[in-house]
Amino acid sequence: MSDDGTIWPDGEALAAGVAAAGQGAVAADVAGRLAPATVEALAAAGFPSGFAPLAQGGADASFDSVTRAVAAIGEGCASAAWLASLWAYNGRFSAYLPDEGRQDVWAKGPDTRLVSSMVAAGVRAEPVDGGWSLAGRWLYVSGVEFADWALLSSAPPREGDRSVRVFAVPKDAFTHQESWSTLGMRATGSHTLVVEQAFVPEHRSFVWDDMRLGNLPEPGTTAQAAPLFAVNGLTFAAPVLGAARAALRLVGEHLGKQPSGARSAARESHRIAYARAAGEIDAAALLLARVAGTADRGRLGEDGAAVRSHRDSTLAVELLVGAVDRLFHVTGTRGQAASHGMQRIWRDVHAAGSHAALQFEAAALAFTQRLVAA
């Protein structure tokens, strides 16, 4: 709840965002770009302000409410949900800037659109009087063409390395090269951002490791103070949850069209697969709800909670990808047709599930190491 008592999200605005995402999903997938109307609907639904600093109009949203809202968008279009989720979480990152930097970034108001990338390529960040001279390229900057500001790392982040900084750069200081052409999540616009040369004042920068640890420069909301890897999985898992639910709905409709008296072994196996996938999707949703709830209650500092949350997010996505695979098989050749929604969902879920933050192996090793150390 924001300072003025507003509950986030507004139901009508979110419903309009869900409708716009669903209506534009096919065209976005074909064009490899979200329609401006969809982008504006997502902004109107309040995603940029969800975790933004309160002094700059932030909504003080909970992880639970953001996860639910992003998943709702994802039922219509996973790419739209991806952008919505990143807008919210990038707003959270901006809380690590000094106060003057936050004021600069949010001068336009709480609908400011932030993008980010920690995938630095050939970056040059040199200290100069009053700040840094910055140049370089950053990969996979989702939503860059709609951005007002970008948060960019000086180098690939390394745990405990306090030399890695994050810089806030306005849109007039960067361009982008269209480098995103993929099998799935085609409309996220995750292109390459380019800074030829920019001066970044000292107050528009912070140490990446502070964000990893949740060390804010001054007191903030519970959501803003959450350690990065404890909640980062929610950012990318929520769109997958929505897409999996859409796949379940499609298969439910597919099965509903079969003759009621049909009892062939194939049809029975399809119904069993549907039930199993429904259970896997529910299980994944419960895992993500636990991650969100743990963070919302400020309990990530409890023994093992952070690494458990990271594990849960990645495991949830494994369940979701497996469920969609199962459902894709049920639709057979029909589901592979370019005109069928299942093939787009299948592509999107696999593309999203390959994100580095969603890999179970790394999360499992961190969890096991923490368990053994205890």
Side-chain angles (χ1 to χ4, degrees), residues 81-117:
W82 192 268
L83 180 60
S85 190
L86 284 168
W87 275 352
Y89 281 85
N90 289 333
R92 189 178 89 88
F93 299 160
S94 75
Y96 289 84
L97 288 165
D99 179 65
E100 188 178 355
R102 296 196 298 271
Q103 292 182 44
D104 286 354
V105 168
W106 295 97
K108 171 185 169 182
D111 61 345
T112 298
R113 303 165 187 180
L114 272 67
V115 297
S116 69
S117 176

PDB file of all heavy atoms in Angstrom, residues 81-117:
ATOM      1  N   ALA A  81       4.345  -9.955 -19.990  1.00  0.00           N
ATOM      2  CA  ALA A  81       4.531 -10.194 -18.559  1.00  0.00           C
ATOM      3  C   ALA A  81       5.987 -10.019 -18.162  1.00  0.00           C
ATOM      4  O   ALA A  81       6.298  -9.504 -17.074  1.00  0.00           O
ATOM      5  CB  ALA A  81       4.055 -11.606 -18.201  1.00  0.00           C
ATOM      6  N   TRP A  82       6.881 -10.430 -19.018  1.00  0.00           N
ATOM      7  CA  TRP A  82       8.326 -10.283 -18.766  1.00  0.00           C
ATOM      8  C   TRP A  82       8.680  -8.809 -18.605  1.00  0.00           C
ATOM      9  O   TRP A  82       9.377  -8.421 -17.666  1.00  0.00           O
ATOM     10  CB  TRP A  82       9.086 -10.888 -19.935  1.00  0.00           C
ATOM     11  CG  TRP A  82      10.548 -11.104 -19.771  1.00  0.00           C
ATOM     12  CD1 TRP A  82      11.545 -10.243 -20.112  1.00  0.00           C
ATOM     13  CD2 TRP A  82      11.197 -12.279 -19.252  1.00  0.00           C
ATOM     14  NE1 TRP A  82      12.771 -10.807 -19.854  1.00  0.00           N
ATOM     15  CE2 TRP A  82      12.595 -12.053 -19.326  1.00  0.00           C
ATOM     16  CE3 TRP A  82      10.734 -13.499 -18.755  1.00  0.00           C
ATOM     17  CZ2 TRP A  82      13.526 -12.999 -18.916  1.00  0.00           C
ATOM     18  CZ3 TRP A  82      11.661 -14.440 -18.343  1.00  0.00           C
ATOM     19  CH2 TRP A  82      13.035 -14.200 -18.421  1.00  0.00           C
ATOM     20  N   LEU A  83       8.174  -7.981 -19.521  1.00  0.00           N
ATOM     21  CA  LEU A  83       8.448  -6.548 -19.450  1.00  0.00           C
ATOM     22  C   LEU A  83       7.829  -5.953 -18.190  1.00  0.00           C
ATOM     23  O   LEU A  83       8.478  -5.161 -17.486  1.00  0.00           O
ATOM     24  CB  LEU A  83       7.902  -5.847 -20.690  1.00  0.00           C
ATOM     25  CG  LEU A  83       8.121  -4.333 -20.745  1.00  0.00           C
ATOM     26  CD1 LEU A  83       9.600  -3.996 -20.708  1.00  0.00           C
ATOM     27  CD2 LEU A  83       7.464  -3.746 -21.995  1.00  0.00           C
ATOM     28  N   ALA A  84       6.596  -6.310 -17.887  1.00  0.00           N
ATOM     29  CA  ALA A  84       5.926  -5.792 -16.697  1.00  0.00           C
ATOM     30  C   ALA A  84       6.700  -6.142 -15.429  1.00  0.00           C
ATOM     31  O   ALA A  84       6.889  -5.305 -14.540  1.00  0.00           O
ATOM     32  CB  ALA A  84       4.498  -6.351 -16.625  1.00  0.00           C
ATOM     33  N   SER A  85       7.161  -7.378 -15.345  1.00  0.00           N
ATOM     34  CA  SER A  85       7.893  -7.829 -14.173  1.00  0.00           C
ATOM     35  C   SER A  85       9.215  -7.074 -14.032  1.00  0.00           C
ATOM     36  O   SER A  85       9.577  -6.618 -12.938  1.00  0.00           O
ATOM     37  CB  SER A  85       8.152  -9.331 -14.269  1.00  0.00           C
ATOM     38  OG  SER A  85       8.645  -9.848 -13.059  1.00  0.00           O
ATOM     39  N   LEU A  86       9.924  -6.916 -15.129  1.00  0.00           N
ATOM     40  CA  LEU A  86      11.208  -6.220 -15.068  1.00  0.00           C
ATOM     41  C   LEU A  86      11.037  -4.747 -14.718  1.00  0.00           C
ATOM     42  O   LEU A  86      11.864  -4.178 -13.999  1.00  0.00           O
ATOM     43  CB  LEU A  86      11.952  -6.379 -16.390  1.00  0.00           C
ATOM     44  CG  LEU A  86      12.595  -7.761 -16.578  1.00  0.00           C
ATOM     45  CD1 LEU A  86      13.064  -7.946 -18.010  1.00  0.00           C
ATOM     46  CD2 LEU A  86      13.751  -7.946 -15.620  1.00  0.00           C
ATOM     47  N   TRP A  87      10.004  -4.113 -15.210  1.00  0.00           N
ATOM     48  CA  TRP A  87       9.752  -2.731 -14.808  1.00  0.00           C
ATOM     49  C   TRP A  87       9.638  -2.635 -13.285  1.00  0.00           C
ATOM     50  O   TRP A  87      10.225  -1.761 -12.659  1.00  0.00           O
ATOM     51  CB  TRP A  87       8.469  -2.228 -15.445  1.00  0.00           C
ATOM     52  CG  TRP A  87       8.632  -1.690 -16.835  1.00  0.00           C
ATOM     53  CD1 TRP A  87       9.803  -1.472 -17.513  1.00  0.00           C
ATOM     54  CD2 TRP A  87       7.584  -1.293 -17.714  1.00  0.00           C
ATOM     55  NE1 TRP A  87       9.532  -0.974 -18.764  1.00  0.00           N
ATOM     56  CE2 TRP A  87       8.188  -0.846 -18.919  1.00  0.00           C
ATOM     57  CE3 TRP A  87       6.199  -1.286 -17.621  1.00  0.00           C
ATOM     58  CZ2 TRP A  87       7.442  -0.374 -19.996  1.00  0.00           C
ATOM     59  CZ3 TRP A  87       5.447  -0.815 -18.697  1.00  0.00           C
ATOM     60  CH2 TRP A  87       6.062  -0.377 -19.874  1.00  0.00           C
ATOM     61  N   ALA A  88       8.865  -3.544 -12.700  1.00  0.00           N
ATOM     62  CA  ALA A  88       8.672  -3.511 -11.248  1.00  0.00           C
ATOM     63  C   ALA A  88       9.986  -3.746 -10.519  1.00  0.00           C
ATOM     64  O   ALA A  88      10.360  -2.985  -9.614  1.00  0.00           O
ATOM     65  CB  ALA A  88       7.633  -4.551 -10.831  1.00  0.00           C
ATOM     66  N   TYR A  89      10.707  -4.785 -10.893  1.00  0.00           N
ATOM     67  CA  TYR A  89      11.931  -5.142 -10.164  1.00  0.00           C
ATOM     68  C   TYR A  89      13.064  -4.148 -10.416  1.00  0.00           C
ATOM     69  O   TYR A  89      13.886  -3.905  -9.526  1.00  0.00           O
ATOM     70  CB  TYR A  89      12.351  -6.565 -10.502  1.00  0.00           C
ATOM     71  CG  TYR A  89      11.532  -7.585  -9.740  1.00  0.00           C
ATOM     72  CD1 TYR A  89      10.299  -8.009 -10.214  1.00  0.00           C
ATOM     73  CD2 TYR A  89      11.977  -8.093  -8.522  1.00  0.00           C
ATOM     74  CE1 TYR A  89       9.529  -8.922  -9.503  1.00  0.00           C
ATOM     75  CE2 TYR A  89      11.223  -9.002  -7.807  1.00  0.00           C
ATOM     76  CZ  TYR A  89       9.996  -9.421  -8.295  1.00  0.00           C
ATOM     77  OH  TYR A  89       9.237 -10.308  -7.576  1.00  0.00           O
ATOM     78  N   ASN A  90      13.127  -3.553 -11.599  1.00  0.00           N
ATOM     79  CA  ASN A  90      14.132  -2.522 -11.836  1.00  0.00           C
ATOM     80  C   ASN A  90      13.862  -1.283 -10.980  1.00  0.00           C
ATOM     81  O   ASN A  90      14.792  -0.607 -10.539  1.00  0.00           O
ATOM     82  CB  ASN A  90      14.182  -2.149 -13.319  1.00  0.00           C
ATOM     83  CG  ASN A  90      14.773  -3.252 -14.173  1.00  0.00           C
ATOM     84  OD1 ASN A  90      15.573  -4.058 -13.700  1.00  0.00           O
ATOM     85  ND2 ASN A  90      14.378  -3.305 -15.434  1.00  0.00           N
ATOM     86  N   GLY A  91      12.593  -1.017 -10.736  1.00  0.00           N
ATOM     87  CA  GLY A  91      12.256   0.060  -9.811  1.00  0.00           C
ATOM     88  C   GLY A  91      12.793  -0.223  -8.422  1.00  0.00           C
ATOM     89  O   GLY A  91      13.246   0.688  -7.709  1.00  0.00           O
ATOM     90  N   ARG A  92      12.769  -1.473  -8.020  1.00  0.00           N
ATOM     91  CA  ARG A  92      13.330  -1.887  -6.733  1.00  0.00           C
ATOM     92  C   ARG A  92      14.839  -1.607  -6.690  1.00  0.00           C
ATOM     93  O   ARG A  92      15.372  -1.126  -5.688  1.00  0.00           O
ATOM     94  CB  ARG A  92      13.051  -3.378  -6.516  1.00  0.00           C
ATOM     95  CG  ARG A  92      13.374  -3.905  -5.132  1.00  0.00           C
ATOM     96  CD  ARG A  92      13.014  -5.381  -5.020  1.00  0.00           C
ATOM     97  NE  ARG A  92      14.110  -6.236  -5.422  1.00  0.00           N
ATOM     98  CZ  ARG A  92      15.074  -6.654  -4.615  1.00  0.00           C
ATOM     99  NH1 ARG A  92      15.097  -6.262  -3.351  1.00  0.00           N
ATOM    100  NH2 ARG A  92      16.019  -7.446  -5.043  1.00  0.00           N
ATOM    101  N   PHE A  93      15.520  -1.895  -7.787  1.00  0.00           N
ATOM    102  CA  PHE A  93      16.966  -1.681  -7.834  1.00  0.00           C
ATOM    103  C   PHE A  93      17.321  -0.203  -7.658  1.00  0.00           C
ATOM    104  O   PHE A  93      18.366   0.133  -7.084  1.00  0.00           O
ATOM    105  CB  PHE A  93      17.543  -2.179  -9.163  1.00  0.00           C
ATOM    106  CG  PHE A  93      17.348  -3.649  -9.418  1.00  0.00           C
ATOM    107  CD1 PHE A  93      17.438  -4.152 -10.710  1.00  0.00           C
ATOM    108  CD2 PHE A  93      17.074  -4.530  -8.378  1.00  0.00           C
ATOM    109  CE1 PHE A  93      17.263  -5.510 -10.958  1.00  0.00           C
ATOM    110  CE2 PHE A  93      16.897  -5.894  -8.624  1.00  0.00           C
ATOM    111  CZ  PHE A  93      16.989  -6.374  -9.916  1.00  0.00           C
ATOM    112  N   SER A  94      16.462   0.670  -8.173  1.00  0.00           N
ATOM    113  CA  SER A  94      16.777   2.098  -8.100  1.00  0.00           C
ATOM    114  C   SER A  94      16.832   2.601  -6.663  1.00  0.00           C
ATOM    115  O   SER A  94      17.410   3.669  -6.400  1.00  0.00           O
ATOM    116  CB  SER A  94      15.745   2.912  -8.889  1.00  0.00           C
ATOM    117  OG  SER A  94      14.507   3.002  -8.196  1.00  0.00           O
ATOM    118  N   ALA A  95      16.264   1.867  -5.726  1.00  0.00           N
ATOM    119  CA  ALA A  95      16.294   2.268  -4.313  1.00  0.00           C
ATOM    120  C   ALA A  95      17.708   2.250  -3.748  1.00  0.00           C
ATOM    121  O   ALA A  95      17.949   2.818  -2.669  1.00  0.00           O
ATOM    122  CB  ALA A  95      15.390   1.355  -3.488  1.00  0.00           C
ATOM    123  N   TYR A  96      18.648   1.613  -4.453  1.00  0.00           N
ATOM    124  CA  TYR A  96      20.028   1.541  -3.970  1.00  0.00           C
ATOM    125  C   TYR A  96      20.844   2.765  -4.382  1.00  0.00           C
ATOM    126  O   TYR A  96      21.989   2.915  -3.953  1.00  0.00           O
ATOM    127  CB  TYR A  96      20.679   0.241  -4.451  1.00  0.00           C
ATOM    128  CG  TYR A  96      20.096  -0.944  -3.730  1.00  0.00           C
ATOM    129  CD1 TYR A  96      18.911  -1.541  -4.170  1.00  0.00           C
ATOM    130  CD2 TYR A  96      20.668  -1.428  -2.562  1.00  0.00           C
ATOM    131  CE1 TYR A  96      18.327  -2.592  -3.474  1.00  0.00           C
ATOM    132  CE2 TYR A  96      20.094  -2.479  -1.866  1.00  0.00           C
ATOM    133  CZ  TYR A  96      18.925  -3.052  -2.327  1.00  0.00           C
ATOM    134  OH  TYR A  96      18.345  -4.095  -1.627  1.00  0.00           O
ATOM    135  N   LEU A  97      20.270   3.630  -5.182  1.00  0.00           N
ATOM    136  CA  LEU A  97      20.936   4.883  -5.528  1.00  0.00           C
ATOM    137  C   LEU A  97      20.882   5.848  -4.347  1.00  0.00           C
ATOM    138  O   LEU A  97      19.959   5.802  -3.531  1.00  0.00           O
ATOM    139  CB  LEU A  97      20.232   5.535  -6.725  1.00  0.00           C
ATOM    140  CG  LEU A  97      20.415   4.876  -8.094  1.00  0.00           C
ATOM    141  CD1 LEU A  97      19.379   5.424  -9.065  1.00  0.00           C
ATOM    142  CD2 LEU A  97      21.838   5.123  -8.617  1.00  0.00           C
ATOM    143  N   PRO A  98      21.837   6.757  -4.260  1.00  0.00           N
ATOM    144  CA  PRO A  98      21.710   7.842  -3.292  1.00  0.00           C
ATOM    145  C   PRO A  98      20.447   8.657  -3.573  1.00  0.00           C
ATOM    146  O   PRO A  98      19.893   8.615  -4.684  1.00  0.00           O
ATOM    147  CB  PRO A  98      22.977   8.676  -3.535  1.00  0.00           C
ATOM    148  CG  PRO A  98      23.936   7.742  -4.184  1.00  0.00           C
ATOM    149  CD  PRO A  98      23.103   6.802  -5.008  1.00  0.00           C
ATOM    150  N   ASP A  99      20.005   9.416  -2.583  1.00  0.00           N
ATOM    151  CA  ASP A  99      18.749  10.152  -2.702  1.00  0.00           C
ATOM    152  C   ASP A  99      18.715  11.046  -3.933  1.00  0.00           C
ATOM    153  O   ASP A  99      17.718  11.075  -4.660  1.00  0.00           O
ATOM    154  CB  ASP A  99      18.520  10.993  -1.440  1.00  0.00           C
ATOM    155  CG  ASP A  99      17.233  11.792  -1.520  1.00  0.00           C
ATOM    156  OD1 ASP A  99      16.150  11.171  -1.554  1.00  0.00           O
ATOM    157  OD2 ASP A  99      17.303  13.034  -1.563  1.00  0.00           O
ATOM    158  N   GLU A 100      19.783  11.767  -4.199  1.00  0.00           N
ATOM    159  CA  GLU A 100      19.799  12.661  -5.360  1.00  0.00           C
ATOM    160  C   GLU A 100      19.662  11.873  -6.660  1.00  0.00           C
ATOM    161  O   GLU A 100      19.000  12.325  -7.607  1.00  0.00           O
ATOM    162  CB  GLU A 100      21.093  13.489  -5.374  1.00  0.00           C
ATOM    163  CG  GLU A 100      21.098  14.580  -6.430  1.00  0.00           C
ATOM    164  CD  GLU A 100      22.359  15.421  -6.401  1.00  0.00           C
ATOM    165  OE1 GLU A 100      23.200  15.218  -5.480  1.00  0.00           O
ATOM    166  OE2 GLU A 100      22.521  16.280  -7.290  1.00  0.00           O
ATOM    167  N   GLY A 101      20.263  10.710  -6.708  1.00  0.00           N
ATOM    168  CA  GLY A 101      20.130   9.861  -7.887  1.00  0.00           C
ATOM    169  C   GLY A 101      18.708   9.372  -8.082  1.00  0.00           C
ATOM    170  O   GLY A 101      18.192   9.330  -9.204  1.00  0.00           O
ATOM    171  N   ARG A 102      18.061   8.988  -6.991  1.00  0.00           N
ATOM    172  CA  ARG A 102      16.666   8.547  -7.092  1.00  0.00           C
ATOM    173  C   ARG A 102      15.776   9.679  -7.597  1.00  0.00           C
ATOM    174  O   ARG A 102      14.866   9.459  -8.404  1.00  0.00           O
ATOM    175  CB  ARG A 102      16.181   8.038  -5.731  1.00  0.00           C
ATOM    176  CG  ARG A 102      16.918   6.811  -5.231  1.00  0.00           C
ATOM    177  CD  ARG A 102      16.180   6.118  -4.099  1.00  0.00           C
ATOM    178  NE  ARG A 102      16.039   6.956  -2.921  1.00  0.00           N
ATOM    179  CZ  ARG A 102      16.914   7.039  -1.932  1.00  0.00           C
ATOM    180  NH1 ARG A 102      18.066   6.351  -2.013  1.00  0.00           N
ATOM    181  NH2 ARG A 102      16.708   7.802  -0.893  1.00  0.00           N
ATOM    182  N   GLN A 103      16.048  10.881  -7.122  1.00  0.00           N
ATOM    183  CA  GLN A 103      15.262  12.022  -7.583  1.00  0.00           C
ATOM    184  C   GLN A 103      15.461  12.264  -9.072  1.00  0.00           C
ATOM    185  O   GLN A 103      14.493  12.579  -9.791  1.00  0.00           O
ATOM    186  CB  GLN A 103      15.639  13.271  -6.787  1.00  0.00           C
ATOM    187  CG  GLN A 103      15.231  13.234  -5.324  1.00  0.00           C
ATOM    188  CD  GLN A 103      15.575  14.522  -4.597  1.00  0.00           C
ATOM    189  OE1 GLN A 103      15.356  15.609  -5.121  1.00  0.00           O
ATOM    190  NE2 GLN A 103      16.120  14.394  -3.393  1.00  0.00           N
ATOM    191  N   ASP A 104      16.675  12.103  -9.554  1.00  0.00           N
ATOM    192  CA  ASP A 104      16.945  12.263 -10.988  1.00  0.00           C
ATOM    193  C   ASP A 104      16.168  11.229 -11.803  1.00  0.00           C
ATOM    194  O   ASP A 104      15.490  11.561 -12.785  1.00  0.00           O
ATOM    195  CB  ASP A 104      18.434  12.098 -11.276  1.00  0.00           C
ATOM    196  CG  ASP A 104      19.277  13.282 -10.830  1.00  0.00           C
ATOM    197  OD1 ASP A 104      18.695  14.294 -10.398  1.00  0.00           O
ATOM    198  OD2 ASP A 104      20.517  13.171 -10.898  1.00  0.00           O
ATOM    199  N   VAL A 105      16.287   9.982 -11.393  1.00  0.00           N
ATOM    200  CA  VAL A 105      15.683   8.891 -12.163  1.00  0.00           C
ATOM    201  C   VAL A 105      14.166   9.010 -12.203  1.00  0.00           C
ATOM    202  O   VAL A 105      13.532   8.778 -13.241  1.00  0.00           O
ATOM    203  CB  VAL A 105      16.107   7.530 -11.576  1.00  0.00           C
ATOM    204  CG1 VAL A 105      15.272   6.396 -12.168  1.00  0.00           C
ATOM    205  CG2 VAL A 105      17.591   7.276 -11.828  1.00  0.00           C
ATOM    206  N   TRP A 106      13.559   9.385 -11.101  1.00  0.00           N
ATOM    207  CA  TRP A 106      12.096   9.408 -11.000  1.00  0.00           C
ATOM    208  C   TRP A 106      11.502  10.801 -11.176  1.00  0.00           C
ATOM    209  O   TRP A 106      10.338  11.035 -10.831  1.00  0.00           O
ATOM    210  CB  TRP A 106      11.668   8.812  -9.666  1.00  0.00           C
ATOM    211  CG  TRP A 106      12.018   7.363  -9.556  1.00  0.00           C
ATOM    212  CD1 TRP A 106      13.109   6.823  -8.951  1.00  0.00           C
ATOM    213  CD2 TRP A 106      11.294   6.264 -10.104  1.00  0.00           C
ATOM    214  NE1 TRP A 106      13.120   5.459  -9.083  1.00  0.00           N
ATOM    215  CE2 TRP A 106      12.015   5.079  -9.778  1.00  0.00           C
ATOM    216  CE3 TRP A 106      10.113   6.147 -10.827  1.00  0.00           C
ATOM    217  CZ2 TRP A 106      11.579   3.808 -10.156  1.00  0.00           C
ATOM    218  CZ3 TRP A 106       9.678   4.880 -11.214  1.00  0.00           C
ATOM    219  CH2 TRP A 106      10.404   3.734 -10.880  1.00  0.00           C
ATOM    220  N   ALA A 107      12.273  11.744 -11.757  1.00  0.00           N
ATOM    221  CA  ALA A 107      11.782  13.108 -11.932  1.00  0.00           C
ATOM    222  C   ALA A 107      10.508  13.158 -12.779  1.00  0.00           C
ATOM    223  O   ALA A 107       9.634  14.012 -12.564  1.00  0.00           O
ATOM    224  CB  ALA A 107      12.873  13.981 -12.561  1.00  0.00           C
ATOM    225  N   LYS A 108      10.384  12.259 -13.720  1.00  0.00           N
ATOM    226  CA  LYS A 108       9.207  12.204 -14.585  1.00  0.00           C
ATOM    227  C   LYS A 108       7.969  11.742 -13.831  1.00  0.00           C
ATOM    228  O   LYS A 108       6.838  12.053 -14.216  1.00  0.00           O
ATOM    229  CB  LYS A 108       9.503  11.255 -15.760  1.00  0.00           C
ATOM    230  CG  LYS A 108       8.324  10.916 -16.638  1.00  0.00           C
ATOM    231  CD  LYS A 108       8.726   9.880 -17.683  1.00  0.00           C
ATOM    232  CE  LYS A 108       7.513   9.309 -18.412  1.00  0.00           C
ATOM    233  NZ  LYS A 108       7.887   8.261 -19.387  1.00  0.00           N
ATOM    234  N   GLY A 109       8.161  10.997 -12.754  1.00  0.00           N
ATOM    235  CA  GLY A 109       7.034  10.474 -11.991  1.00  0.00           C
ATOM    236  C   GLY A 109       7.097   8.967 -11.863  1.00  0.00           C
ATOM    237  O   GLY A 109       8.008   8.314 -12.387  1.00  0.00           O
ATOM    238  N   PRO A 110       6.124   8.368 -11.161  1.00  0.00           N
ATOM    239  CA  PRO A 110       6.177   6.932 -10.872  1.00  0.00           C
ATOM    240  C   PRO A 110       5.928   6.016 -12.063  1.00  0.00           C
ATOM    241  O   PRO A 110       6.029   4.800 -11.920  1.00  0.00           O
ATOM    242  CB  PRO A 110       5.070   6.756  -9.818  1.00  0.00           C
ATOM    243  CG  PRO A 110       4.146   7.901 -10.041  1.00  0.00           C
ATOM    244  CD  PRO A 110       5.006   9.040 -10.477  1.00  0.00           C
ATOM    245  N   ASP A 111       5.626   6.585 -13.227  1.00  0.00           N
ATOM    246  CA  ASP A 111       5.469   5.733 -14.416  1.00  0.00           C
ATOM    247  C   ASP A 111       6.759   5.653 -15.230  1.00  0.00           C
ATOM    248  O   ASP A 111       6.767   5.168 -16.355  1.00  0.00           O
ATOM    249  CB  ASP A 111       4.321   6.226 -15.293  1.00  0.00           C
ATOM    250  CG  ASP A 111       4.542   7.651 -15.809  1.00  0.00           C
ATOM    251  OD1 ASP A 111       5.433   8.342 -15.267  1.00  0.00           O
ATOM    252  OD2 ASP A 111       3.828   8.056 -16.744  1.00  0.00           O
ATOM    253  N   THR A 112       7.868   6.116 -14.642  1.00  0.00           N
ATOM    254  CA  THR A 112       9.176   6.034 -15.306  1.00  0.00           C
ATOM    255  C   THR A 112       9.533   4.576 -15.590  1.00  0.00           C
ATOM    256  O   THR A 112       9.363   3.708 -14.737  1.00  0.00           O
ATOM    257  CB  THR A 112      10.258   6.673 -14.419  1.00  0.00           C
ATOM    258  OG1 THR A 112       9.948   8.052 -14.244  1.00  0.00           O
ATOM    259  CG2 THR A 112      11.638   6.535 -15.035  1.00  0.00           C
ATOM    260  N   ARG A 113      10.044   4.325 -16.775  1.00  0.00           N
ATOM    261  CA  ARG A 113      10.318   2.948 -17.211  1.00  0.00           C
ATOM    262  C   ARG A 113      11.816   2.677 -17.155  1.00  0.00           C
ATOM    263  O   ARG A 113      12.588   3.262 -17.914  1.00  0.00           O
ATOM    264  CB  ARG A 113       9.766   2.734 -18.619  1.00  0.00           C
ATOM    265  CG  ARG A 113       8.273   3.024 -18.699  1.00  0.00           C
ATOM    266  CD  ARG A 113       7.797   3.172 -20.117  1.00  0.00           C
ATOM    267  NE  ARG A 113       6.398   3.620 -20.150  1.00  0.00           N
ATOM    268  CZ  ARG A 113       5.709   3.846 -21.273  1.00  0.00           C
ATOM    269  NH1 ARG A 113       6.295   3.663 -22.451  1.00  0.00           N
ATOM    270  NH2 ARG A 113       4.458   4.258 -21.204  1.00  0.00           N
ATOM    271  N   LEU A 114      12.180   1.772 -16.266  1.00  0.00           N
ATOM    272  CA  LEU A 114      13.586   1.415 -16.072  1.00  0.00           C
ATOM    273  C   LEU A 114      13.887   0.065 -16.695  1.00  0.00           C
ATOM    274  O   LEU A 114      13.103  -0.888 -16.559  1.00  0.00           O
ATOM    275  CB  LEU A 114      13.928   1.351 -14.583  1.00  0.00           C
ATOM    276  CG  LEU A 114      14.378   2.645 -13.899  1.00  0.00           C
ATOM    277  CD1 LEU A 114      13.238   3.649 -13.850  1.00  0.00           C
ATOM    278  CD2 LEU A 114      14.868   2.344 -12.494  1.00  0.00           C
ATOM    279  N   VAL A 115      15.025  -0.006 -17.379  1.00  0.00           N
ATOM    280  CA  VAL A 115      15.555  -1.285 -17.853  1.00  0.00           C
ATOM    281  C   VAL A 115      16.895  -1.503 -17.161  1.00  0.00           C
ATOM    282  O   VAL A 115      17.438  -0.601 -16.524  1.00  0.00           O
ATOM    283  CB  VAL A 115      15.713  -1.312 -19.385  1.00  0.00           C
ATOM    284  CG1 VAL A 115      14.363  -1.168 -20.061  1.00  0.00           C
ATOM    285  CG2 VAL A 115      16.672  -0.221 -19.858  1.00  0.00           C
ATOM    286  N   SER A 116      17.427  -2.696 -17.289  1.00  0.00           N
ATOM    287  CA  SER A 116      18.717  -2.979 -16.648  1.00  0.00           C
ATOM    288  C   SER A 116      19.438  -4.093 -17.379  1.00  0.00           C
ATOM    289  O   SER A 116      18.825  -4.896 -18.091  1.00  0.00           O
ATOM    290  CB  SER A 116      18.513  -3.382 -15.180  1.00  0.00           C
ATOM    291  OG  SER A 116      17.880  -4.642 -15.096  1.00  0.00           O
ATOM    292  N   SER A 117      20.736  -4.128 -17.190  1.00  0.00           N
ATOM    293  CA  SER A 117      21.539  -5.250 -17.671  1.00  0.00           C
ATOM    294  C   SER A 117      22.824  -5.325 -16.873  1.00  0.00           C
ATOM    295  O   SER A 117      23.500  -4.316 -16.648  1.00  0.00           O
ATOM    296  CB  SER A 117      21.885  -5.101 -19.154  1.00  0.00           C
ATOM    297  OG  SER A 117      22.739  -6.167 -19.570  1.00  0.00           O
TER     298      SER A 117
END
